[in-house]
């Protein structure tokens, strides 16, 4: 089954500042909960995402078991959006679109993730029990951390 996750956050920063932050792979660690044990293991030639960029991470998503997660930045249209797709990792499919849009007094940051779990219907049984709550927790952490870093959006 194909699952999706959608989140929108408004930040009181310019689209240029949003792009500067989100397009740097090194900043992903800042907005990922510590319990994930997130570490970028790639060495980069560029400090900003580009189409075709491969990024490798070590994560501990379940039961503190270390796992390598490899993503490819498949599309980039600065400063409007970029897409990362899993090439190796815990999902059968992971397609994450990051959109940035100028709004009054800031930038709207939108995440749209489509994903499929391994093990077919057995994997889908774990979705409401483990996977969905874990994803929501990660993005809730990210939401709060971004407010700490950039402030709360106000009209």
């Amino acid at each position: 089954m194909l699952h999706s996750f959608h989140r929108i956050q408004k930040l009181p920063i310019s689209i240029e500042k949003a792009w500067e932050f989100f397009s740097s792979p090194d900043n992903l660690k800042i907005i990922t909960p510590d319990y994930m044990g997130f570490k970028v293991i790639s060495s980069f030639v560029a400090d900003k995402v580009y189409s075709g960029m491969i990024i490798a991470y070590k994560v501990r998503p379940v039961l503190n078991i270390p796992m390598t997660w490899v993503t490819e930045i498949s599309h980039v249209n600065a400063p409007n959006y970029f897409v990362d797709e899993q090439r190796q990792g815990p999902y059968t499919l992971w397609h994450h679109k990051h959109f940035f849009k100028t709004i009054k007094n800031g930038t709207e940051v939108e995440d749209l993730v489509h994903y499929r779990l391994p093990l077919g219907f057995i994997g889908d049984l774990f979705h409401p029990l483990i996977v969905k709550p874990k994803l929501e927790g990660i993005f809730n952490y990210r939401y709060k951390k971004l407010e700490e870093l950039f402030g709360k959006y106000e009209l």
Side-chain angles (χ1 to χ4, degrees), residues 128-147:
L129 302 171
I130 298 172
V131 180
K132 185 178 180 187
K134 175 109 28 199
L135 271 179
E136 288 173 346
I138 291 167
F139 278 87
N140 289 342
Y141 177 89
R142 185 172 293 185
Y143 193 98
K144 290 176 188 164
K145 192 66 171 179
L146 289 167
E147 280 190 344

Side-chain angles (χ1 to χ4, degrees), residues 54-152:
I54 301 290
I55 308 168
Y57 320 93
K58 283 287 186 194
V59 293
R60 297 175 178 270
V62 180
L63 302 173
N64 208 27
I65 299 168
M67 175 181 294
T68 300
W69 188 337
V70 178
T71 60
E72 178 180 357
I73 305 301
S74 58
H75 301 83
V76 176
N77 181 345
N80 303 304
Y81 70 88
F82 69 93
V83 178
D84 69 82
E85 298 182 61
Q86 176 191 282
R87 295 296 178 240
Q88 175 188 339
Y91 295 90
T92 301
L93 170 81
W94 176 269
H95 186 269
H96 183 179
K97 294 178 255 190
H98 310 255
F99 296 102
F100 307 92
K101 179 171 71 174
T102 298
I103 57 173
K104 184 177 180 180
N105 298 333
T107 299
E108 181 179 274
V109 178
E110 180 178 10
D111 291 280
L112 180 57
V113 182
H114 289 92
Y115 59 99
R116 185 173 290 128
L117 301 174
L119 306 175
F121 79 92
I122 295 170
D124 288 335
L125 291 174
F126 289 98
H127 183 257
L129 302 171
I130 298 172
V131 180
K132 185 178 180 187
K134 175 109 28 199
L135 271 179
E136 288 173 346
I138 291 167
F139 278 87
N140 289 342
Y141 177 89
R142 185 172 293 185
Y143 193 98
K144 290 176 188 164
K145 192 66 171 179
L146 289 167
E147 280 190 344
E148 285 177 23
L149 292 169
F150 300 114
K152 286 189 175 200

Side-chain angles (χ1 to χ4, degrees), residues 39-57:
K39 181 179 180 185
V40 176
I41 57 175
S42 298
S43 56
F44 299 112
V45 176
D47 61 347
K48 297 290 173 224
V49 294
Y50 58 86
S51 293
M53 180 181 226
I54 301 290
I55 308 168
Y57 320 93

